[in-house]
Every structure is written in structure tokens, then in C-alpha cells.
Amino acid sequence: MPSWLKTSLKILAGMVLLLVLLLVGATLYITFNKARVLKMVNQQLDKSVDGTLIIGDMKPNFFKGLPDISLSLKNVLVRDKNFDRHKHTLLDAKDFDISVNTAALFRGAIDINHIEITNATIDLFTDSTGYSNTSVFKKDNKQVTNNKSESGSSTRLKKFTLKSVNFTIDNRKAHKLFNFAVNDLKGNMSYPDTGWHANFHLDVIAKSMAFNSLRGSFIKDKQLVGDFVAGYNENSGKINVKSTPLNIGNDPFNISAVFETAKDPANFFIHVAADQILWRSASALLAPNITLVLNRFNLSKPIAVTANISGSFGVSGDPLLYVTAKTKGNTLTMPGSTIENCNFNGTFTNNYVKGKGLGDENSIIKLMGLSGTYNHLPFTIDTGSIVNLTKPIATGNFKSVFPIADLNYFFEDNVAKFSNGWADINLNYRADIVDYKINKPRIQGTIHLKEADINYFPRNLMFKKTSCSLNFVGDDLIMSNIRLQSGRSIVTMNGRVNNFLNLYYNAPEKILLTWQIRSPQLYLGEFLGFLSARKSAPPAKARRVNSGNIVDQLSTVLERGKAQMHLEVANVHYKKFLATNAHADLLSTDNGVIIKTISVKHAGGSLRMNGRVTQGKNLNNFILNTTVSNVNMREFFYAFDNFGMKDFTYENLKGYLSAKTNITGGITNAGSLVPRSINGTLDLNLKDAALLNFKPITGVGKFAFPFRDLKNIMIPSLNARFDLRGDKIIINPMELNSSVINMDVAGVYGLTNGTDIALDIPLRNPEKDANITDKEELKKRRFRGIVVHIRAYEENGKMKVGLNNKRK
């Protein structure tokens, strides 16, 4: 062996032996001088406390912490001088191990390199006045560190370990409560020129992390495991902390934080980020008041989340929160609905309007680029917001383009069924949120329907190739470019509802929809659904989602609202009836139609009417006041199916009719007059008329005038008044002057039975007076000669004609 190696080994062995002797000596020194060393430790620690410090016992551990000497302190107790008042012990450690510098110990100084606290409770308490039990530590440490007779290492800690430690920060003044059950906390510290640097491993359970104890705790009862890097800068007074990463529960987070200790009280800034976390896992980390709201919603797939939390440890109330969330292709469930293929970039802050405080009332949720499919309807909302979580208000711009048949999933056969065509919606909305559902939205914007087929169930109406534009302007609804086609009927419409948004939810019965309606041809038979009472919708399918308040209210509005219609129709068809140049003003109500005025051209003349139709379950009652001017009688009676008469038809008439009626009656849902339902009065005037083959007259003619042509009675003029009483027509006394016979007529004509008519018939032939033009002379001659008094009546279902011996 080379001599230099032997020499080196001897030196090394001597150094090891010297070290062992030093350690043994130090251990023996502490063992035989326990009281003195304990006093030195107490004196060293006492320099940093202003209160009570009790160390129950102290033992050296030879092999622990080599080459340092480890002192094991038992039952260490630290209390401030006001403990008797607040009863919060700052430190109660069953085991408190200190690793000290061996060389410094022989110099009569304590240099602490490592502290290990086990089975302990640390309670940092601040009462409602701001007093803290941390005042036990002296604030003027410069005097200690500047004392040249002491080692500066006493203010520096190189290693630390905490196990089974309950750590609490309880600030009653600021309403903050942080409580952690520390399973394991290990770290190393170094001291560059500007402060200190630390690396540590953390394993704790967060019993409470309440930035506002009145609201509750964040990450309550969650386990936190991770490695941290921390540093302190003496110049700025800031502590920077960063995790790499931190597991909270089963989810990994990247955490960074800044604590401004130079300020009193200290400020904090915490940044939390998770690339993939489930909605419910994220909501469980927040305060109960926020969790309660968020748990009403859910996203099926993980989302990316960040959160910034900042505030002051000495200020009460909520910290400043700013949260972001991103998702794509997710499924969002919320009260009453589900959104498929959901995408958004979201933010939340509780400082919406700066200067108005931090809290639910000043909170806002923003969803940028929100898109998805709601009940088969695709939509986008460029920016949606929910302001004020206490009384939330939702706003946004809603856009959607979709096949109109998709509306069937939304209405679920409750109001109408749609097919063909497209819908284009662009609406700005503002709505309250009640029980986490959109309630009574107020909207601005447009809805366009194109080439749609609509089956409107309540009125059993079918519209083809329907197009319309709905414009919400201010509180009003303006409808334009509406085209409806039902069978052969084509209608174009423009409408308006003033104060629509105010009345829609609060007073739908006050809604008045004003229509301007035009049509080249209208077949009334295709709109008979308006005659019948509103029908119940077909049984709804099992609801997959709640259709929402707005749909239910739409049905109510359609049922209770009123419509004022101004119509201009070129041609109106109804069965045999044809009218041209029709004008009408109608008002539809929840139980019928008020006819303000209707005017049409018909049968060479004109008709005007007003009245009302009241809907019933199977029968609709009407009241009509009608003025007929110079219409062709044959065409008129043909068009109206002889007004329900069978023995007196259009084939018995010729000439021109003018009349006024005031009648009531009934009409079926199919649009037919109810037999024997008409009551009222009829005043008529005939010009250039003829009575053709009217059996009651021809029957009399066979008996009294066998040689006169009673089958074609020419009537230059006739004025008459009839009272209509169901199946009876009361003929008020009238004078009939004709080419064949003159007569006075009065009595009852029965549509089914009960006919009893009195006729006074002068036998004088009117042809003898054809050349007389003097009306007074004609009147004198009218009843010259023999006058026959005849009675035409019904008996046992047969018509009988005889002399009227009982005539008065």
C-alpha cells in the first residue's frame, strides 16, 4: 500500500473518531447538563415569544439528525398572555424535535437546523376586535439578530416536518376560517441574499377553507397532496408558492399563489387551474352557496377550469373571484332542459360592477360562443350573461336556423304540428330566472318562417306554404310578410300587437292583435274551424323535457287574446255563395267573433252586415243585422240555400231584392244553418219581380182563377215585413199587386207545419187596369167587384184551401 494512502486513511479515521467523540461528548453533555441545556433552549425560544412557553421534557437523540444533535421536546405549549380570555392555545405539541448545530452548542449557542412537530395543534386565532394570539411572537426581531454575541442562525430554519398536526387560522374579525389536518408536511429551506427559498411536500385534509365563514368552506374535507416550491423576497415582502401539481381529491390542479406579507393585513392572490375536471367535482370544491347553484346544472364530460382568488386576510366578506371554464361537444343538463353538443367559453366573477362590493348580488356569469342543440333545435348565443345570483337576470343574443319540423319537439303537439319549411330566429332576450328556469323573457329581434306547413290543433286548421316575419320592437310585436295557404285559399297578412311584452304574461286577455288581411280568393269552408269552440290538443307525448313557461303561456295567449281583423278579399266563396270586392272589420274573442262590418258585392247588388257569432260546444249562435241592396233574387236565394225553406225556393223567384234583417239563429260547426233556429224580422222590397210556380198560389188559382196564368205572376213592386219565429214565418198584412191577380195576404207560413194564410182576392182581372197610370184611381179600382176571402191552411199534414168564413 502506498505510504500516501496509509497516511490519508489514518487522517480520515482520526477525523471520524474525533467526530464520534464530539457527538458522544455532546450527548453526554446534554445528558448530564439537561437542566442547563433546557434553560438555554427556553432562553433561545423565549426571545421570540411574549407569553407562556412550556417544555415538559427534553431528550437527546444521538443517531437522529447526524451530524447535528437532535433534541426531542415533549409537551411543548405556547400561549399568548391573553389566553385566559380567548382560550385558544397557539401551539400544543406532544412531540417537538429540534436538530441543533453541534459546534454552536459548545459555543453556548443554539443553531436550529431542523424542526419536526408531531401530534400537535396549531391555532392562529384573531378575535372580533382584531387581537391575535400570534402577538406572542415579538415583532422587534432586529434587536435579536443584530446582537453580535448571538448566532444569526437562530432565525433561520433549514428543514421542517409536521406530522399529525391540526393547523387552524381562525379570524373572527374578517370571518375567515382555515383548518387543515396535516398528515405530512416536509420541506427544506435555503437563504439567499433576498430572503428564503423552500421546497416541500404537502399531504393534508382541508377541514375548512372559508374565505368568508358566513358563506362556508371551499374544498371542504378534501385531501390535498402535492409538491410545492416557495420563495420569499425581503425587498417586496412577497411569498410566492407554486405546486407541481397539487391533487385535490382525485383531480390534479396547478396552483400558484402570492402572499403580500409586507402589508398589514396581508393580501393573497391564488391561481388554480385544471385541464380536465368533471362539473360536479369542480362544484364540490367551492363554497356551499356556490355549490348549491352549480349543482342544479351538470356537464357529462370533463371541462377545463381556472380560478383566481384574491383578497386580504384582514378584511371580512368574500374574496374576489374570477373563474373561467371551457368545454366542447358536451351535454349540459339544467332544470327543465338538456342541451346536447354544448360548447362555450365561460367566466364568472363576483365583482361585476367595480365599487359595488363582492358577493352574489354583484356576480355575473358570462358564456361566450355558447352553442348547442336544445330539444332538436340548434342554436348559438354569442354572449349570454346571468347577472345577480340572488335575483338572477339572464340576457343574451339567441340565434337559430333549423327545419321547422323540429318545432314539434318543442311544442310536443300542444298547440300545433309543423312540417316542411325553415325557421330563422335572431332574438335578444332578457329574463328573470325563477327556480333556475328562464321566466317571462322579454325579447327583441326577429323570427322568420319560410314555406312551412302548420296544423293548428285548437281550431283544426291546416295551413300550407306558410311564411311570416315576427319583429319584436320595444314592447310591441310587428308581424309582416305573412302568407297563409289553406286549400285553395291564399291570404297575405300584416299585423301588430301594441304593448305585447307587458301583456303576454300578466294580462293575456288584454292582448289585441290588429291584422291587415288581403286575399285574391278565400274559401270560407276551409276556415270553419273558427266557428267551433277551441278543441283540446291531442294527448301530448311523454315529456322528455319540460317545455317551459313560454310555451304554456303561448297557448294561454292564443286562447284568451283578441284579434281585430281588417280584410280585403277579391273573391269570397262559401258553398254556392260567391261575393266580390269584400271588406270586413272583425274582432275575434275567446268565445266567438264580433262582426263590426262586412260589405260585399253579390248577385249584381251588395250586402252589408254586422253582428256577432258566439261559439258553443256543438252549436254556434249568431246575431246579424243585414242590409241587402238590389240583388238578383234567384241568385241570392240560391247562394243561401233558400234560407232553409223547402217549399219556397230560388226557382220560384225572379227580380231584384232589397231587404233589411235583424235575426238570430244557429249555425253548426260545419257551417250549415240549424233548421228552425232563425228568429227576427225581415223587411223586403221587390222590384221587377215574378213569382213562379209557387204552389200555395197555384193551388188557389185552380179553385178561384182557373183561366189565369198563376204560374208566372209578374210583380212590379212589393214591400213586405215578415217576423221569423223558428219554423214559422209570420206574414204581416201586405198588398200584392201583380199581373195576374191582386190580393192582400196575412198569416203564418210553416216551414214544417202550421201554415195558415188568409188571402183577400178581388176577382177583378188586373189586366183591365193595365193602362191606368193614376195611382189613386188604381187603388179605388183594386177591390171593385167580387172579393173572395180564402184561407190556405194545413190540417193533418195536408194543405187545404177553402173560403175564409171567419175572416174579420
Side-chain angles (χ1 to χ4, degrees), residues 9 60 77 148 176 253 275-276 320 365 392 415 433 444 553 654 663 748 764:
L9 290 175
L77 198 70
K148 297 181 180 180
K176 302 187 188 301
F253 290 84
D275 295 331
Q276 294 286 314
L320 173 62
I365 298 172
V415 176
I433 299 178
Q444 303 286 302
Q553 191 64 17
K654 188 173 74 170
I663 60 173
V748 177
R764 179 183 177 83

Side-chain angles (χ1 to χ4, degrees), residues 578-593:
L578 170 63
T580 60
N581 196 24
H583 296 267
D585 287 327
L586 309 176
L587 176 64
S588 70
T589 65
D590 56 349
N591 65 345
V593 178

